[in-house]
């Protein structure tokens, strides 16, 4: 997954932390950013946590889900 680096102004907490540590206050803070399209593509290609394993009977799978032994039930 591609990552980009962007800069932003430091928050007041970051400025106060730098002062407390005796460091110079940062003028800009570098932040790693992952594009939204890459996050969505990763989510779509990842297997679902509640997906029924191949070769398992559907009735058996639902019985395991009801007992809480296999994945979370779909909302």
């Amino acid at each position: 997954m591609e990552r980009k680096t962007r800069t932003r102004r430091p928050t007041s907490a970051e400025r106060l932390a730098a002062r407390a540590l005796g460091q110079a206050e940062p003028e800009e803070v570098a932040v790693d950013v992952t594009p939204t399209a890459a996050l969505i593509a990763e989510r779509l290609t990842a297997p679902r946590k509640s997906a029924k394993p191949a070769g398992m009977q559907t009735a058996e799978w639902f019985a395991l889900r009801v007992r809480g032994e296999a994945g979370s039930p779909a909302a």
Side-chain angles (χ1 to χ4, degrees):
M1 184 179 340
E2 68 181 77
R3 288 186 174 272
K4 296 180 181 178
T5 303
R6 292 189 180 172
T7 58
R8 62 168 172 78
R9 295 182 55 176
T11 62
S12 57
E14 290 168 334
R15 289 193 309 270
L16 288 172
R19 278 189 232 151
L21 294 173
Q23 301 171 350
E25 291 184 23
E27 291 185 25
E28 289 187 335
V29 178
V31 181
D32 285 336
V33 178
T34 303
T36 305
L39 292 173
I40 292 171
E42 180 180 328
R43 206 173 318 146
L44 289 174
T45 57
R48 291 189 343 220
K49 292 180 183 176
S50 64
K52 178 176 76 71
M56 181 179 276
Q57 295 293 322
T58 304
E60 181 182 345
W61 171 246
F62 280 111
L64 287 173
R65 283 179 56 187
V66 167
R67 291 192 303 245
E69 299 174 14
S72 60

